[in-house]
Amino acid sequence: MFEHSFEEEIQQLKEGTITEIVIQQKDFSLFREAWKVQEDREKIIGEAGLNGKIIYRFVD
C-alpha cells in the first residue's frame, strides 16, 4: 500500500509554489508526522473544513 509523504508538499508550501495543502481525515496522522519535524511549524496554520478536511496554509 502506498503511503503519502507530505515532506515535499510542506516544502512547496513554505516556498510559495503552492498556496495550501488539503488533508483528508484518513491522512492526518501521516501529515502530522511530517509537520511536527518542521522547525517553523507554527507558521503552518490549519483550518478545519467540512467532512474532516483540514486546509493548511503557510503564514510568514
Side-chain angles (χ1 to χ4, degrees), residues 2-60:
F2 175 75
E3 285 197 15
H4 191 280
S5 174
F6 288 100
E7 288 87 0
E8 185 177 329
E9 285 185 68
I10 290 172
Q11 188 61 36
Q12 290 174 349
L13 185 66
K14 292 182 345 183
E15 293 171 351
T17 307
I18 59 175
T19 59
E20 63 187 25
I21 301 172
V22 179
I23 305 298
Q24 302 295 328
Q25 185 177 11
K26 65 179 177 59
D27 297 324
F28 177 74
S29 61
L30 290 174
F31 176 81
R32 186 175 185 278
E33 290 301 312
W35 170 81
K36 71 181 184 179
V37 297
Q38 302 295 315
E39 291 182 18
D40 53 355
R41 66 182 168 268
E42 70 278 350
K43 294 180 180 181
I44 302 171
I45 307 298
E47 178 183 334
L50 296 175
N51 299 319
K53 290 183 187 176
I54 305 172
I55 301 168
Y56 285 93
R57 295 181 179 94
F58 186 75
V59 179
D60 195 15

